[in-house]
Amino acid sequence: MTDATVTPAIRAERLRAGLKRRYAREGRFRLYGLLAIGVAVGFLLLLLGRIIDQGHTAFYTHTITVPVYMDPARVDRGYPQGTNFELLVAEQQLARLGVADDAQGSKAAAMRSLFSSELKFAAAARIQANPNLIGQTVPIAAPVSDDADLFFKGEISRDTPADQRRLTDEQIGWLDRMKASGAVAAHFNSGLFTKGDSTEPELAGVLGAVVGSALMLLVTAFIAIPLGVGAALYLEEFAPRGRITDLIEVNINNLAAVPSIIYGLLGLALFINWMHLPRASPLVGGLVLALMALPTIIIATRSSLKAVPPSIREAALAMGASKTQTVFHHTLPLAMPGVMTGAIISMAHALGETAPLLLIGMVSFIPGIPHSVGEPSGALPSLVYIWENASERAFHERTAAAILVLLAFMIVMNAAAIFLRRRFERRW
């Protein structure tokens, strides 16, 4: 059939068929897009749900309050820290439960393992503060051990065969009786946020790692942001175009894609082995993360400067402003939302890095809270790594809790970037 013999009705039918096929393709494309978003959101919810399910139990803990007779024959008035309060409490608790210890003292040892070592420090502190308590019965509150805490949280089941759990049937019976008597109480685990790392899970907290990460980010920000913004300003506004400038730009783009562990190796060789800076300190960690964040800040700043309309520069120059005045009085202020967004996102990315920190020694056990950038310190990502590789089961729930704290920090930083962009954004 030739075009001359095609009637208007046939042409209209073909047009409707073509439109129908096009609309069908657009509908399928939208469906594929929605499906992709749904799959991504599903995986995200699965990840967050798994972390929350594993870590929410770390935000509450159990404390036991027991009356302790401060036996004058066993409590050292001058040096209460040397008194074996754990054995004293265990023997008295066995007596209250009507359990006789054997000749080897194995039952007392089994009872001692249900209390945290914090018990002896709490008792010693009470005696040191008031020696007149010796000879009296004093209520002492302390956390239960990690295994007892897991039992109260349902993580250790009495239905599990005895040879596959760390608590014996007798110990579980003691815990049931102590809980029934009202000696055991559950409460918010404030120690998780007020204490540093510890070898005992029930006493471990994230404060040391949080402070270490904060000090490290301060060092990173003070170094990377001024250098990155300055380098971007020079390359975009002042540097003459040529082979050297092109080579620098290519290398900056390549450095943004370098694996982070390479920066850790560089920091180990340069800052620790050559400059002899303190190992595992926020100073070294901040310097390493500053090197890693520089390319991202430079690229983000240059993109923001390019987004400023050329007419702004031309108008400033036409009014008699110098090149420097044009850049710092007009171009940079208008590009500042993008600059701040790039800087904050690069800081958030640096906060979550683990590999460089492991190479500069932040994988070591550091129980204290750092007070300066030169002291040994941990960081949230390295703390997650350490706790996840710990043998004690109770550390695993704290690993998930530390991940939630790290995610909260990142969400806050990204929210700050969005707020700053919308707050200072200019439209032309």
Side-chain angles (χ1 to χ4, degrees):
M1 183 181 295
T2 63
D3 294 339
T5 59
V6 176
T7 63
I10 296 177
R11 290 195 185 97
E13 183 63 28
R14 290 179 179 178
L15 180 60
R16 284 192 294 269
L19 288 174
K20 185 177 180 180
R21 288 193 298 270
R22 188 179 70 179
Y23 291 150
R25 287 194 297 267
E26 291 179 356
R28 287 194 298 270
F29 180 78
R30 292 193 187 95
L31 179 61
Y32 297 152
L34 292 174
L35 182 62
I37 294 174
V39 171
V41 171
F43 277 112
L44 177 61
L45 294 177
L46 178 64
L47 174 63
L48 290 177
R50 184 68 184 92
I51 295 174
I52 294 173
D53 179 65
Q54 183 177 348
H56 78 279
T57 54
F59 293 99
Y60 70 96
T61 187
H62 292 83
T63 298
I64 186 168
T65 303
V66 292
V68 181
Y69 173 63
M70 300 298 179
D71 190 350
R74 302 177 64 176
V75 178
D76 191 337
R77 179 184 295 269
Y79 182 62
Q81 292 86 352
T83 304
N84 193 343
F85 285 105
E86 292 174 299
L87 180 59
L88 182 67
V89 172
E91 292 174 348
Q92 294 182 12
Q93 196 65 20
L94 283 176
R96 291 188 186 91
L97 296 177
V99 179
D101 197 2
D102 53 21
Q104 294 78 22
S106 59
K107 292 187 182 296
M111 178 63 74
R112 287 173 61 183
S113 66
L114 301 180
F115 299 94
S116 170
S117 63
E118 185 71 13
L119 176 68
K120 61 184 178 184
F121 298 112
R126 294 286 298 275
I127 295 299
Q128 192 169 15
N130 185 9
N132 294 327
L133 293 177
I134 297 177
Q136 302 181 23
T137 299
V138 182
I140 301 294
V144 297
S145 68
D146 55 333
D147 291 328
D149 190 48
L150 290 176
F151 170 74
F152 288 131
K153 293 176 180 178
E155 300 294 330
I156 295 179
S157 174
R158 68 180 75 247
D159 298 329
T160 304
D163 58 345
Q164 298 180 17
R165 47 179 160 84
R166 298 180 60 175
L167 293 176
T168 64
D169 292 334
E170 189 174 38
Q171 287 176 309
I172 290 177
W174 295 342
L175 291 173
D176 288 335
R177 294 176 63 182
M178 286 188 285
K179 186 175 182 180
S181 67
V184 180
H187 58 87
F188 178 71
N189 187 10
S190 59
L192 183 66
F193 303 96
T194 59
K195 297 179 181 179
D197 197 7
S198 174
T199 55
E200 300 184 34
E202 69 273 10
L203 302 179
V206 300
L207 181 60
V210 170
V211 174
S213 293
L215 292 174
M216 194 166 54
L217 285 182
L218 284 177
V219 175
T220 302
F222 278 124
I223 295 175
I225 294 178
L227 287 179
V229 174
L233 282 173
Y234 177 76
L235 289 173
E236 190 63 32
E237 302 292 340
F238 297 100
R241 299 302 173 187
R243 292 184 178 180
I244 296 179
T245 305
D246 294 339
L247 181 63
I248 293 174
E249 292 178 358
V250 169
N251 281 280
I252 290 174
N253 292 329
N254 289 335
L255 286 173
V258 170
S260 59
I261 196 170
I262 304 300
Y263 290 100
L265 291 171
L266 176 61
L268 177 64
L270 179 61
F271 301 127
I272 295 179
N273 294 339
W274 186 61
M275 298 178 65
H276 303 290
L277 295 178
R279 190 180 184 89
S281 65
L283 176 61
V284 175
L287 289 171
V288 172
L289 295 180
L291 294 177
M292 191 183 67
L294 267 174
T296 305
I297 295 176
I298 293 174
I299 293 172
T301 303
R302 293 192 65 187
S303 299
S304 300
L305 293 171
K306 289 178 182 178
V308 177
S311 58
I312 301 294
R313 300 176 177 84
E314 294 168 358
L317 293 173
M319 294 298 294
S322 64
K323 181 68 173 177
T324 303
Q325 290 174 326
T326 300
V327 171
F328 286 97
H329 293 175
H330 301 280
T331 307
L332 183 58
L334 293 174
M336 191 56 67
V339 173
M340 290 188 295
T341 301
I344 294 175
I345 290 177
S346 67
M347 293 297 104
H349 180 222
L351 175 65
E353 284 296 336
T354 307
L357 305 182
L358 301 182
L359 291 176
I360 62 173
M362 284 191 169
V363 70
S364 306
F365 171 69
I366 302 173
I369 309 297
H371 297 90
S372 68
V373 295
E375 295 183 17
S377 165
L380 278 172
S382 58
L383 185 69
V384 170
Y385 175 82
I386 294 170
W387 283 359
E388 182 59 28
N389 286 278
S391 58
E392 290 85 353
R393 182 178 173 183
F395 270 123
H396 295 171
E397 66 172 9
R398 280 160 173 76
T399 300
I403 293 174
L404 291 174
V405 174
L406 181 61
L407 288 176
F409 269 89
M410 290 187 173
I411 291 173
V412 169
M413 296 182 71
N414 282 277
I418 296 172
F419 171 78
L420 290 174
R421 171 175 285 278
R422 292 184 176 179
R423 175 67 176 81
F424 297 101
E425 190 173 13
R426 304 279 184 88
R427 296 186 181 276
W428 300 286

